[in-house]
Amino acid sequence: MDPTSRAVPVYTMSVAAELLDLPPATLRLYERKGLVLPARTDGGTRRYSADDIDRMRRIADHQTDGINLAGIRAVMGLEDENAQLRATLDRRDPRPDALDQDDPAPLTRHREKRADRRVRVARTTEGARPT
């Protein structure tokens, strides 16, 4: 791993707490709830990376916005999934114009699927069963 990488765990709990202006107990709570998983030294000391610090900052911001920890876990899970999907797409074809502009079929199929989902959601919200 590149020693200058943002993923390298270098911050102790006290430093991370100070950077985030949060009590260490809050960082332990985030870990207990599965929102962040710090690395551990051989002696068991938690070490946080710059990426961990950014993640905890987003968690704290969501809490400030009134989202509970269960909701934050769902939001963060979706953010992580979105990032993984974007990375997969970038590996497949990093060009923004990867769709064949002469063939509108993929875009048309995508729009049709979205419209179908909207209809099913609308039926569900009206009390009817989705088809």
Side-chain angles (χ1 to χ4, degrees):
M1 186 179 296
D2 179 9
T4 61
S5 170
R6 295 185 50 78
V8 175
V10 295
Y11 301 103
T12 62
M13 178 177 281
S14 60
V15 172
E18 188 173 330
L19 288 171
L20 294 164
D21 196 27
L22 293 171
T26 300
L27 277 56
R28 287 190 291 273
L29 175 65
Y30 291 169
E31 180 182 4
R32 197 168 47 250
K33 295 294 184 179
L35 296 169
V36 67
L37 184 61
R40 298 280 185 147
T41 65
D42 291 338
T45 304
R46 293 171 180 88
R47 296 286 180 175
Y48 298 93
S49 68
D51 288 342
D52 292 333
I53 301 293
D54 290 344
R55 184 176 181 86
M56 289 186 290
R57 188 168 286 125
R58 288 195 323 272
I59 294 166
D61 289 345
H62 287 312
Q63 277 191 299
T64 301
D65 292 340
I67 302 173
N68 66 25
L69 292 178
I72 293 170
R73 184 178 21 236
V75 168
M76 300 298 280
L78 291 170
E79 287 177 356
D80 292 344
E81 183 180 345
N82 188 19
Q84 289 172 353
L85 291 171
R86 287 184 182 278
T88 300
L89 286 174
D90 288 346
R91 281 192 305 273
R92 287 186 180 166
D93 195 342
R95 296 174 297 136
D97 60 345
L99 280 177
D100 183 356
Q101 299 301 323
D102 296 328
D103 181 13
L107 187 55
T108 302
R109 282 192 301 272
H110 171 74
R111 287 182 178 149
E112 288 169 354
K113 285 181 185 177
R114 286 190 54 169
D116 183 51
R117 273 189 239 134
R118 279 193 220 112
V119 168
R120 282 187 277 149
V121 168
R123 287 182 185 152
T124 302
T125 58
E126 293 170 359
R129 291 183 138 171
T131 57

